[in-house]
Amino acid sequence: AHMPIGTIGMWAMEQACRQLAAWHAQYPEMDDITIAVNVSMRQLLQTSFFTQVRDILESTGVVPNMLELELTETSAMANPLQTMENLSMLKKLGLRLALDDFGTGYSSLAYLQKLPIDILKIDKAFVRGLGMNQSDMEIIRLMMALAQTLNLQTTAEGIETFEQLHELKKMGCNLGQGFLFSTCLLYTSPS
């Protein structure tokens, strides 16, 4: 059976919100846990997307700022005016918005400045070279400075080693994700 990507995407978002609501109910002391869901270009450009997201939040009881929607640079650039309009509506609803794979797409700084996003996700292509490739480190420093100027959080993707984690923390990166975190749930940096 074939199912439209938009339908699968909304089903995945609803399941994620249901799971988040269950975690919040089961572990009240962890009520600051958020969940991130990838959004496709096709979903973002649907006129019904905003209403569907709002309905999912209402039916699951998830507080909007506990849900983070992630879109890639390429998706954001597909139809800039429509993207900005839809993201502005979602932002007013209270959701957190992240620009994924940052540094690999074609967005201009002028456009980036207008997007109502909260988080820049630094692509793993740059993280991979940390500690070995000086140019990757400099590019990440520039991204961090840009994020700071625009008052955005940063998430580094594809962290696989403690060396990468240490370098990113030194540069002031807020959040990270990657294989390293699947091998240890908690890491306390050495003093």
Side-chain angles (χ1 to χ4, degrees), residues 16-189:
C17 286
R18 287 193 188 288
Q19 183 60 68
L20 182 61
W23 283 332
H24 285 169
Q26 190 173 358
Y27 307 105
E29 70 280 7
M30 299 176 72
D31 63 354
D32 59 345
I33 289 177
T34 61
I35 199 157
V37 178
N38 290 313
V39 175
S40 72
M41 174 179 62
R42 192 172 295 177
Q43 281 178 283
L44 192 62
L45 296 180
Q46 285 179 343
T47 53
S48 61
F49 184 65
F50 171 81
T51 308
Q52 289 175 316
V53 172
R54 188 186 60 203
D55 290 349
I56 287 172
L57 290 171
E58 286 178 3
S59 68
T60 58
V62 167
V63 178
N65 67 3
M66 296 287 104
L67 177 63
E68 177 185 310
L69 300 185
E70 297 185 357
L71 66 150
T72 63
E73 258 190 286
T74 308
S75 296
M77 288 300 292
N79 186 332
L81 290 176
Q82 184 71 44
T83 298
M84 276 193 275
E85 186 179 328
N86 289 357
L87 290 181
S88 294
M89 289 169 62
L90 292 163
K91 187 71 190 147
K92 284 177 188 169
L93 195 59
L95 289 115
R96 290 167 52 79
L97 304 173
L99 191 62
D100 202 4
D101 300 338
F102 183 65
T104 62
Y106 303 100
S107 61
S108 71
L109 294 181
Y111 178 55
L112 180 64
Q113 192 176 19
K114 293 176 185 174
L115 285 175
I117 57 172
D118 304 285
I119 301 163
L120 277 186
K121 299 193 73 180
I122 300 168
D123 190 74
K124 61 182 177 284
F126 305 108
V127 172
R128 193 179 298 126
L130 280 179
M132 298 175 291
N133 188 335
Q134 186 64 30
S135 65
D136 283 340
M137 186 173 289
E138 292 307 319
I139 288 171
I140 291 176
R141 280 191 207 284
L142 287 170
M143 290 180 183
M144 297 292 300
L146 176 64
Q148 189 173 10
T149 300
L150 297 176
N151 199 27
L152 303 174
Q153 279 193 319
T154 50
T155 299
E157 300 179 288
I159 301 173
E160 296 184 356
T161 68
F162 282 111
E163 183 180 15
Q164 291 167 345
L165 179 62
H166 181 66
E167 290 297 330
L168 288 160
K169 287 173 81 172
K170 272 200 316 189
M171 286 189 268
C173 192
N174 304 106
L175 301 165
Q177 66 184 64
F179 180 73
L180 179 66
F181 300 110
S182 67
T183 58
C184 59
L185 295 177
L186 182 64
Y187 169 66
T188 305
S189 61

